């Protein structure tokens, strides 16, 4: 019987995930609004996270990531064996395909970027490590969703309500379900302007020894490059990268 997760720990990480590159500071009001907590509970969690150094408060009512969070992030880069395996693999794929490549894990908030590589050219599309991506409008998100049961999908999508991010974003649940079934069957996911108008992406799973997805690899760049020939080439190269990671460090 699986161990029941500690809800306080999960809530703490949900609060930390509210801090983003485009929103470096959060408030108790943001926690209340986005996580559905009552004000007293939100304040208690925020105060505790400040106490342990995961958050810091340099002005009244505002919170940013604290020194302990930065410490752990740096330590993860140095000590996580899977991260050390992933980085050279995605760098090689990025240089060969001449586009950016990212590896992501699934968090409660959505796929989170754990490593990214960009090719050696003057202009690239990039993403910051730690960025959390939408589930329903990205190749990575749809790939993760395709691995879940319908009940699990609905539970995760509840907070998103299939928000339209571009005019290509799927907003009908039945249409999304059909695409997820296709993704599960074909073993890859594609995003053509669904999350950002001019960007495309293709994503491949990295699986553990028991067949579960442990990471996703995705190539992303300007949508104008994502014709059928390039997508097929990207899928083949990412599959080789996924196999290399599985052979070296798959769990």
């Amino acid at each position: 019987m699986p161990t029941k997760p500690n809800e306080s720990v999960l809530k703490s990480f949900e609060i930390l995930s509210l801090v983003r590159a485009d929103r470096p500071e959060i408030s108790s009001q943001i926690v209340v609004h986005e996580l559905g907590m009552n004000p007293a509970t939100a304040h208690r969690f925020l105060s505790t996270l400040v106490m342990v150094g995961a958050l810091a408060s340099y002005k009244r009512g505002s919170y940013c990531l604290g020194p302990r969070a930065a410490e752990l992030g740096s330590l993860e880069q140095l000590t996580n064996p899977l991260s050390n395996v992933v980085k050279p693999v995605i760098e090689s794929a990025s240089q060969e395909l001449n586009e950016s490549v990212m590896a992501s894990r699934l968090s409660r908030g959505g796929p989170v970027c754990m490593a990214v590589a960009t090719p050696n050219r003057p202009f690239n599309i990039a993403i910051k490590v730690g960025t959390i991506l939408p589930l329903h409008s990205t190749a990575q998100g749809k790939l993760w969703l395709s691995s879940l049961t319908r009940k699990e999908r609905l539970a995760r999508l509840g907070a998103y309500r299939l928000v339209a991010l571009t005019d290509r974003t799927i907003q009908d649940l039945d249409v999304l379900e059909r695409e997820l079934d296709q993704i599960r069957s074909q073993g890859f996911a594609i995003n053509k302007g669904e999350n950002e108008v001019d960007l495309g992406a293709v994503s491949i799973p990295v699986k553990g020894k028991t067949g579960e997805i442990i990471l996703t690899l995705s190539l992303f760049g300007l949508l104008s490059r994502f014709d059928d020939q390039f997508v097929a080439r990207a899928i083949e190269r990412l599959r080789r990268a996924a196999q290399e990671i599985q052979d070296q460090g798959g769990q």
Side-chain angles (χ1 to χ4, degrees):
M1 184 176 179
T3 302
K4 186 178 179 180
N6 185 298
E7 289 298 325
S8 292
V9 174
L10 294 177
K11 285 293 184 184
S12 295
F13 276 90
E14 285 182 337
I15 290 172
L16 293 174
S17 72
L18 293 176
V19 180
R20 306 190 302 254
D22 62 342
R23 185 174 64 190
E25 294 185 346
I26 59 173
S27 65
S28 59
Q29 288 80 10
I30 287 173
V31 176
V32 168
H33 175 70
E34 297 194 18
L35 299 183
M37 289 186 184
N38 65 57
T41 301
H43 179 73
R44 187 174 73 252
F45 270 91
L46 288 165
S47 298
T48 303
L49 288 168
V50 169
M51 189 184 304
V52 299
L55 290 177
S57 182
Y58 298 107
K59 60 183 179 181
R60 186 177 178 84
S62 294
Y63 303 85
C64 61
L65 291 180
R68 187 58 180 152
E71 239 177 76
L72 291 172
S74 299
L75 191 61
E76 190 274 343
Q77 296 295 313
L78 292 172
T79 63
N80 187 325
L82 190 55
S83 293
N84 293 331
V85 168
V86 167
K87 289 174 187 175
V89 172
I90 65 172
E91 285 170 1
S92 174
S94 174
Q95 298 308 319
E96 186 174 325
L97 294 166
N98 204 30
E99 288 290 357
S100 300
V101 176
M102 137 175 45
S104 71
R105 291 191 179 104
L106 184 62
S107 71
R108 277 176 73 97
V112 57
C113 175
M114 63 168 283
V116 64
T118 55
N120 293 324
R121 64 182 192 185
F123 175 78
N124 293 301
I125 305 297
I127 187 170
K128 290 186 177 180
V129 171
T131 299
I132 297 176
L133 302 164
L135 278 165
H136 69 297
S137 60
T138 62
Q140 302 95 320
K142 290 189 290 183
L143 192 61
W144 284 109
L145 283 175
S146 73
S147 70
L148 304 177
T149 66
R150 183 178 177 84
K151 183 178 179 180
E152 291 169 333
R153 292 173 187 173
L154 291 173
R156 282 192 173 269
L157 287 171
Y160 288 90
R161 298 186 180 89
L162 303 187
V163 175
L165 299 172
T166 75
D167 59 4
R168 297 187 181 187
T169 307
I170 296 175
Q171 292 182 268
D172 185 290
L173 184 59
D174 290 334
V175 174
L176 180 60
E177 285 287 344
R178 288 195 292 272
E179 180 168 348
L180 294 178
D181 288 341
Q182 182 180 356
I183 289 168
R184 182 196 289 265
S185 174
Q186 67 194 15
F188 63 86
I190 298 173
N191 158 29
K192 290 192 173 184
E194 297 167 49
N195 193 56
E196 295 184 52
V197 175
D198 297 321
L199 298 185
V202 57
S203 188
I204 292 294
V206 179
K207 296 186 177 181
K209 292 180 180 179
T210 57
E212 79 286 5
I213 299 178
I214 56 172
L215 299 173
T216 56
L217 301 182
S218 57
L219 175 139
F220 58 99
L222 292 175
L223 184 58
S224 57
R225 288 203 64 194
F226 281 69
D227 57 28
D228 291 346
Q229 184 177 5
F230 181 70
V231 168
R233 182 177 167 225
I235 290 169
E236 188 277 331
R237 183 61 182 87
L238 289 177
R239 279 179 170 157
R240 285 195 282 122
Q243 187 61 55
E244 189 175 349
I245 293 171
Q246 287 169 199
D247 291 344
Q248 292 188 52
Q251 298 171 2

